[in-house]
Amino acid sequence: MSANLINMLLEATLQTLYMVAISGALGTIFGLPIGVYLAVSQRGELLSSPAVNKVLGLVVNATRSVPFIILVVAIIPFTRLIAGTSIGTTAAIVPLTIAAVPFIARLVENAIREVDSGLIEAARAMGATPLQIIRKVLIPEALPGITLGLTLAVVSLIGYSAMVGAVGGEGLGDLGIRYGYQRFMPEVMLAVVVILIVLVQQVQSLGEGLARLVDKRAPRNRGR
């Protein structure tokens, strides 16, 4: 493998990491509160608002239902408005973020719903307000599940980031398509696939480790 190809692989890997990191962070910033609200705003819940919950749920489901490659093309005018262009690494962050927000929201919602209702009732009995219950009971108890959900979201974003290479995005997907497929260089395609597999494995291992770290129910090895 030539030095030039190694440099291209390195640059493409850094571009992919940049896209995934920024879109993952933005997706979490917007998706986390949406997911929490979806979990606590159904009828009879802490912040009961069935009508708003239904509308927000429909929007989340509609966005999740659109295949990512179609979403990228459909929002090109919006991407141009936000990023000033529809091609390149920065432009790819826009559809990646839009795809990540509803996905993360549903994962967070599911994690919140798995919290033992007895803990909520106990907090209510002690006079805690709904916001205090959300901050001090629901989120801390759901943190392991939220961490695993965010890990899954980042893994999905790595796959999506490769997909944007087909429509003018940069990164590993673009390199694999332009050189591995269009120029018939199977060694480039193989290298891209291997790097993507390594990235996914590293993210998965890190996420599982963090989930164990924040899980208060997990046994700890204590030295004597």
Side-chain angles (χ1 to χ4, degrees):
M1 188 177 292
S2 67
N4 185 45
L5 182 54
I6 292 175
N7 289 334
M8 287 193 299
L9 285 168
L10 178 59
E11 182 181 4
T13 301
L14 293 175
Q15 290 170 341
T16 294
L17 291 174
Y18 168 70
M19 288 188 288
V20 172
I22 299 300
S23 59
L26 292 174
T28 302
I29 289 172
F30 293 106
L32 181 60
I34 292 175
V36 172
Y37 185 76
L38 284 171
V40 300
S41 61
Q42 285 194 341
R43 190 181 303 277
E45 297 293 344
L46 292 171
L47 301 176
S48 179
S49 183
V52 177
N53 181 280
K54 185 175 182 179
V55 172
L56 185 59
L58 287 173
V59 173
V60 168
N61 289 338
T63 307
R64 288 186 62 197
S65 300
V66 180
F68 180 69
I69 194 69
I70 295 177
L71 175 67
V72 173
V73 176
I75 66 167
I76 283 178
F78 180 70
T79 301
R80 285 202 188 103
L81 178 66
I82 298 298
T85 179
S86 61
I87 59 174
T89 307
T90 301
I93 291 173
V94 177
L96 285 171
T97 301
I98 292 176
V101 169
F103 186 52
I104 291 174
R106 283 304 186 190
L107 292 172
V108 171
E109 179 190 7
N110 290 336
I112 294 290
R113 291 188 183 283
E114 290 178 359
V115 175
D116 187 356
S117 60
L119 295 173
I120 300 174
E121 294 305 320
R124 276 175 164 168
M126 290 187 291
T129 65
L131 289 180
Q132 287 175 330
I133 295 174
I134 292 170
R135 287 192 303 108
K136 297 183 179 181
V137 178
L138 288 180
I139 293 179
E141 289 294 326
L143 197 54
I146 292 174
T147 303
L148 290 175
L150 293 178
T151 301
L152 177 59
V154 172
V155 169
S156 298
L157 284 173
I158 292 174
Y160 288 161
S161 71
M163 205 180 300
V164 295
V167 287
E170 296 176 328
L172 290 167
D174 176 61
L175 187 66
I177 291 171
R178 285 194 296 116
Y179 288 86
Y181 177 70
Q182 294 177 348
R183 300 190 186 184
F184 305 102
M185 298 173 66
E187 68 276 12
V188 176
M189 185 65 76
L190 177 60
V192 167
V193 171
V194 169
I195 292 173
L196 288 171
I197 291 174
V198 171
L199 288 178
V200 168
Q201 291 296 328
Q202 292 298 316
V203 168
Q204 189 68 44
S205 297
L206 177 61
E208 291 174 355
L210 289 174
R212 287 193 297 268
L213 189 65
V214 300
D215 190 353
K216 295 184 293 185
R217 299 165 298 178
R220 300 286 193 270
N221 293 324
R222 297 180 179 178
R224 297 185 178 180

